[in-house]
Amino acid sequence: MNLTSPFSLALAVIVALSLLGVPVGHAMIGGSVLYLYLKGMDMGTAAEQLLNGTYSSFLLLAIPLFILAASIMSTGSILDRLLRFCNAIVGRFPGGLAQVNVLQSIVFATMSGSALADAAGSGKLMQAMMTKDGKYTPGFAAALSAVSSVIGPILPPSIPLVLYALVSGTSIGYLFIAGVLPGLLLGAVQMGLIYVLARRRGFPVEPKTPLREMPRITREAFPALMLPVILLGCMYSGVTTPTEAAGIAAAYALLISAGLYRSMGWRDLYDALLSSARMSISIGMLIAGALVFNYVITSENIPATLSKSMQGLDLSPLGFLLLVNLILLVLGMFLEGSTIILVMLPVLLPTATALGIDPVHFGVMAVLNIMIGLVTPPYGLLLFMMMRIADVSLTVLMRDVFPFLLVMLGALALVTVWPDMVLWLPRLMGYRG
């Protein structure tokens, strides 16, 4: 690569601005504008690509609506009711509260679609519950909250899968249903590891919930548990589009929070709207920057060049997937997940398609890989979030995260080599890819 070429200079500017603390979306726009200037192209093309990409995609509207639904569900007594329900189900097993942490992440995942929203919504509460009376060390509690939050973006609704659908043109409905078994697999391997660690370390078991209490606990949590049923039912019955289903999810969350549970006041609603707006704007700017930078990548013909290079290596489909996993794992150590989805996956997808790899399988595998990057140093965002919540060092946190990373990588390997785990449910729903 010519280090003085417009593309190389644009990359250097993006990296430099990012290292200086400029948001990645703004950095990509800045580097792209420089590229257009050096190539003698109309710099207004950047604004054209940004506006066309963001305002012509109805699917993008689903992202702030899913974020709003998660913010509303995180307020008031909804989370408390869900935790009591999860405790009644798995609290009696070895490592009771640790098992509850994973199960509540699975339940909350079907409402938020965001790992950061999951960690922010329940991380602080689970940290306090698990470390009370010295039941678990702060490092283990924080590590578990971080890794269990990774389940969120795999199960539907998933914001990262929405982003992948945006850049790949793949059906978001089939992507959502394809993430169910890999997401449950991720939860299963985490709960299995907790069981082993509980036996070795003597983790406490929570008191059994009396059978007579189960109907009341289930009844209290039932309206919240119905949200994913309503969301997915609307989508897969064909009644609504994914974006319309996201709007129904946000409205339903508000209805049960303010109307049924009466746990949300005007101030709580304002805070939920404000936090949702901030997160949506952050993701929106990242998407905008990626759209402009993707135009630069396309102009340089990088996807076609990379595809020819990959085909020249004479890789089998499995060999290519293993190479992609390695690339994404390394990138996940340094880059934020949405950036990888929006910038790297459009470059790799043409090669995957040429090798006959199903785009739904490729997308779910890639998103699972990228989400593991959220708990991989040195950049793992979930690690930094839980460090602040638990007030523990990265060294302490990583010691307890490492065993979970190993079993999660095992789950990733299984998803990679066994496409039917991803594609079985979509095919039952009529997928013919």
Side-chain angles (χ1 to χ4, degrees):
M1 178 184 290
N2 183 0
L3 297 180
T4 60
S5 68
F7 184 71
S8 298
L9 293 175
L11 279 180
V13 168
I14 292 172
V15 172
L17 290 176
S18 299
L19 292 175
L20 290 172
V22 176
V24 176
H26 294 77
M28 285 193 288
I29 293 174
S32 301
V33 170
L34 175 64
Y35 171 86
L36 295 172
Y37 172 75
L38 294 176
K39 293 285 285 188
M41 302 169 67
D42 182 7
M43 289 187 288
T45 303
E48 180 185 356
Q49 292 296 315
L50 189 156
L51 293 174
N52 286 342
T54 52
Y55 286 100
S56 63
S57 176
F58 185 59
L59 181 62
L60 278 181
L61 188 57
I63 294 176
L65 292 172
F66 281 136
I67 292 173
L68 177 59
S71 297
I72 294 172
M73 295 294 283
S74 300
T75 62
S77 63
I78 294 180
L79 192 55
D80 293 334
R81 295 169 192 262
L82 291 175
L83 286 176
R84 284 198 294 271
F85 174 78
C86 294
N87 186 56
I89 300 296
V90 299
R92 67 191 68 190
F93 299 122
L97 273 180
Q99 303 282 12
V100 170
N101 197 332
V102 178
L103 183 58
Q104 67 83 25
S105 286
I106 293 174
V107 173
F108 197 73
T110 60
M111 304 173 191
S112 69
S114 166
L116 298 180
D118 187 356
S122 61
K124 186 177 294 186
L125 181 57
M126 287 305 307
Q127 184 73 21
M129 290 175 62
M130 291 183 67
T131 56
K132 186 179 180 181
D133 301 325
K135 292 180 178 179
Y136 299 85
T137 63
F140 180 82
L144 182 57
S145 293
V147 297
S148 66
S149 297
V150 171
I151 301 171
I154 310 302
L155 292 170
S158 165
I159 291 174
L161 286 178
V162 172
L163 296 179
Y164 175 76
L166 174 70
V167 298
S168 68
T170 310
S171 165
I172 186 61
Y174 289 134
L175 283 169
F176 275 2
I177 200 68
V180 171
L181 290 183
L184 294 178
L185 172 65
L186 207 57
V189 298
Q190 290 181 8
M191 296 178 83
L193 178 60
I194 290 169
Y195 182 87
V196 173
L197 294 177
R199 292 293 191 185
R200 291 181 180 176
R201 302 182 188 180
F203 290 160
V205 175
E206 297 302 296
K208 290 184 178 180
T209 301
L211 191 59
R212 65 178 181 275
E213 293 292 318
M214 285 298 298
R216 178 185 61 82
I217 294 173
T218 304
R219 184 175 63 252
E220 290 178 349
F222 183 75
L225 293 171
M226 283 300 294
L227 177 60
V229 176
I230 293 172
L231 173 66
L232 298 180
C234 287
M235 285 178 51
Y236 296 117
S237 65
V239 174
T240 67
T241 65
T243 302
E244 291 164 345
I248 291 174
Y252 179 77
L254 179 60
L255 177 65
I256 63 173
S257 296
L260 183 61
Y261 291 148
R262 298 187 182 278
S263 59
M264 172 176 277
W266 289 109
R267 180 66 190 181
D268 298 318
L269 178 59
Y270 173 78
D271 290 340
L273 290 170
L274 188 62
S275 65
S276 301
R278 286 172 174 166
M279 187 177 295
S280 299
I281 290 171
S282 175
I283 295 175
M285 285 306 303
L286 188 58
I287 293 172
L291 289 170
V292 178
F293 187 61
N294 282 341
Y295 176 81
V296 173
I297 290 175
T298 303
S299 298
E300 287 288 303
N301 208 27
I302 289 176
T305 303
L306 182 63
S307 180
K308 288 181 181 179
S309 300
M310 289 285 191
Q311 291 175 24
L313 295 176
D314 198 25
L315 291 172
S316 66
L318 179 58
F320 172 75
L321 290 178
L322 293 175
L323 178 60
V324 168
N325 272 325
L326 180 60
I327 293 172
L328 296 182
L329 285 171
V330 172
L331 290 176
M333 296 179 183
F334 304 98
L335 296 176
E336 194 269 336
S338 298
T339 306
I340 301 174
I341 294 171
L342 293 167
V343 175
M344 282 303 301
L345 294 192
V347 175
L348 296 170
L349 189 58
T351 306
T353 303
L355 290 172
I357 297 169
D358 187 272
V360 170
H361 174 228
F362 181 78
V364 172
M365 181 208 75
V367 167
L368 174 57
N369 186 314
I370 291 166
M371 292 305 104
I372 292 175
L374 292 174
V375 289
T376 305
Y379 189 76
L381 290 179
L382 285 174
L383 297 181
F384 291 122
M385 177 179 287
M386 293 313 301
M387 281 171 58
R388 291 195 296 269
I389 291 175
D391 193 23
V392 295
S393 68
L394 181 61
T395 303
V396 170
L397 193 57
M398 279 309 305
R399 185 174 61 244
D400 288 303
V401 164
F402 185 71
F404 288 98
L405 272 177
L406 291 180
V407 298
M408 290 162 68
L409 289 173
L412 173 63
L414 188 59
V415 168
T416 301
V417 302
W418 190 16
D420 284 344
M421 170 171 285
V422 177
L423 299 175
W424 180 66
L425 280 179
R427 284 170 179 161
L428 283 182
M429 303 293 291
Y431 180 62
R432 295 291 180 266

Short mmCIF file of all heavy atoms in Angstrom, two decimals, residues 38 103 162 240 365 367 374:
data_model
loop_
_atom_site.label_atom_id
_atom_site.label_comp_id
_atom_site.label_asym_id
_atom_site.label_seq_id
_atom_site.Cartn_x
_atom_site.Cartn_y
_atom_site.Cartn_z
N LEU A 38 -8.49 15.08 -1.43
CA LEU A 38 -7.24 14.71 -2.08
C LEU A 38 -7.47 14.06 -3.44
O LEU A 38 -6.61 14.16 -4.33
CB LEU A 38 -6.45 13.75 -1.17
CG LEU A 38 -5.95 14.34 0.15
CD1 LEU A 38 -5.27 13.26 1.01
CD2 LEU A 38 -4.98 15.49 -0.10
N LEU A 103 -29.39 -16.00 33.88
CA LEU A 103 -30.78 -16.15 33.44
C LEU A 103 -31.45 -14.80 33.24
O LEU A 103 -32.18 -14.60 32.26
CB LEU A 103 -31.57 -16.99 34.44
CG LEU A 103 -33.03 -17.27 34.05
CD1 LEU A 103 -33.11 -17.99 32.70
CD2 LEU A 103 -33.75 -18.07 35.13
N VAL A 162 -29.38 -5.78 13.62
CA VAL A 162 -30.04 -4.75 12.81
C VAL A 162 -28.99 -4.03 11.96
O VAL A 162 -29.21 -3.77 10.77
CB VAL A 162 -30.80 -3.74 13.70
CG1 VAL A 162 -31.31 -2.57 12.87
CG2 VAL A 162 -31.97 -4.42 14.41
N THR A 240 -46.54 -6.87 11.52
CA THR A 240 -45.75 -5.64 11.52
C THR A 240 -44.38 -5.89 10.91
O THR A 240 -43.91 -7.03 10.82
CB THR A 240 -45.54 -5.11 12.96
OG1 THR A 240 -44.71 -6.03 13.68
CG2 THR A 240 -46.87 -4.95 13.69
N MET A 365 -22.59 -15.55 13.25
CA MET A 365 -21.25 -15.93 13.70
C MET A 365 -20.38 -14.69 13.95
O MET A 365 -19.70 -14.58 14.99
CB MET A 365 -20.58 -16.83 12.66
CG MET A 365 -19.19 -17.31 13.04
SD MET A 365 -18.14 -17.65 11.60
CE MET A 365 -17.71 -15.98 11.08
N VAL A 367 -21.34 -11.53 14.54
CA VAL A 367 -21.83 -10.73 15.66
C VAL A 367 -21.46 -11.40 16.99
O VAL A 367 -21.05 -10.72 17.94
CB VAL A 367 -23.34 -10.51 15.55
CG1 VAL A 367 -23.91 -9.95 16.86
CG2 VAL A 367 -23.66 -9.57 14.40
N LEU A 374 -16.31 -7.41 23.41
CA LEU A 374 -16.72 -6.46 24.46
C LEU A 374 -16.15 -6.82 25.82
O LEU A 374 -16.13 -5.99 26.73
CB LEU A 374 -18.25 -6.40 24.54
CG LEU A 374 -18.98 -5.79 23.35
CD1 LEU A 374 -20.49 -5.93 23.53
CD2 LEU A 374 -18.61 -4.32 23.20
#
